[in-house]
Amino acid sequence: AFTQVAPGECTRLSSCRSVWLWGRIFCGNLGGVMSRAPRSVVAMACVAAVVLHSAVPAGASVLPFDVVPWAPAEGAAAAHYDFTGDLEFCSEGRGVYGYRLPHAQGCGGAAPLIRMTSGMRYLMRLKNTAPDAATALHTHGLHISGGGNADDITRVAPAGHCLYYNWSIPAGHMPGTYWYHAHLHGHTTAQVSGGAYGMLLIDGDNAWKAGVPPPVRKFLASEHLLLVFHGREARVNAE
């Protein structure tokens, strides 16, 4: 179960234990660079880098993430994809943007969690429901094509239009926590700072464990929390 925490005044948990912000197995955005290093080095580097002694805000609401539901591909799509899903880009004006599941109400809250498995092929339909803004979507850290309908950041969905994304996750893809966000050139900063970003998880096999020290494997097998502190003034490690 993954949770989202709304902002509030910072305090310690009643149990006085720190929250570990951990990218479930590896540091997602390090994927492109760190994947070339020995796996044991990657694991140890991530353990050192990702331990964030943060605190859950006092009086914060802890809510479950919405999760994009994947349906088995049917008809002609079944020849090219294993699963299909839908996601909406939305806007409420005043610089508020976000993602939501179809038919959901409101905009600007924590975006739905996208969860996929290595070796599977996914077709995501992004519908732009914003009344006056074009958009595009980009994933961070996935080892997928940057062309076609995979992760080409030059594609544009005008207001009221859709884009289809082919996310074919290679077998053996590094599992871990990644993220996705709006990426329309010239408007990326406004849309992302307005709330158009979300978390993405890749589940995979256990091949990555080869060469990883037992203490690290034990740590990774323990319970983890996926936290998103949503707000324009949020800061992590002073950035």
Side-chain angles (χ1 to χ4, degrees):
F2 300 98
T3 59
Q4 52 175 300
V5 180
E9 294 182 4
C10 288
T11 186
R12 280 297 193 191
L13 291 172
S14 57
S15 63
C16 295
R17 69 178 176 85
S18 298
V19 175
W20 297 61
L21 180 60
W22 172 244
R24 201 158 179 273
I25 291 179
F26 288 106
C27 313
N29 240 8
L30 295 179
V33 176
M34 297 295 284
S35 61
R36 294 189 291 271
R39 292 184 184 273
S40 58
V41 174
V42 173
M44 294 304 293
C46 286
V47 169
V50 84
V51 175
L52 177 66
H53 291 283
S54 180
V56 172
S61 56
V62 180
L63 307 171
F65 277 104
D66 288 331
V67 181
V68 172
W70 295 108
E74 298 179 345
H80 305 283
Y81 306 100
D82 298 299
F83 300 98
T84 61
D86 289 274
L87 186 68
E88 290 185 355
F89 172 81
C90 59
S91 172
E92 285 191 348
R94 306 179 310 281
V96 176
Y97 299 94
Y99 293 106
R100 64 190 180 192
L101 298 180
H103 311 301
Q105 300 298 313
C107 184
L113 172 67
I114 298 177
R115 191 165 193 170
M116 299 182 287
T117 301
S118 61
M120 296 288 103
R121 303 165 300 171
Y122 297 85
L123 178 65
M124 172 68 81
R125 179 174 64 177
L126 174 68
K127 181 178 181 180
N128 183 0
T129 66
D132 56 1
T135 193
L137 188 147
H138 174 52
T139 64
H140 264 245
L142 298 187
H143 296 187
I144 58 177
S145 171
N149 65 341
D151 202 21
D152 181 354
I153 58 175
T154 65
R155 302 169 68 210
V156 178
H161 289 244
C162 295
L163 281 178
Y164 286 85
Y165 289 89
N166 163 23
W167 293 333
S168 294
I169 312 301
H173 190 291
M174 185 168 59
T177 304
Y178 304 87
W179 68 300
Y180 65 96
H181 64 83
H183 200 297
L184 177 65
H185 284 176
H187 301 273
T188 301
T189 299
Q191 293 184 1
V192 174
S193 64
Y197 61 90
M199 304 301 291
L200 190 158
L201 292 182
I202 298 295
D203 294 309
D205 56 33
N206 292 322
W208 63 271
K209 292 184 177 180
V212 176
V216 176
R217 292 202 299 269
K218 182 178 180 180
F219 169 76
L220 296 178
S222 63
E223 181 180 356
H224 309 298
L225 295 177
L226 178 61
L227 303 178
V228 172
F229 292 87
H230 184 71
R232 289 191 176 190
E233 301 305 318
R235 293 290 185 269
V236 176
N237 289 346
E239 296 183 358

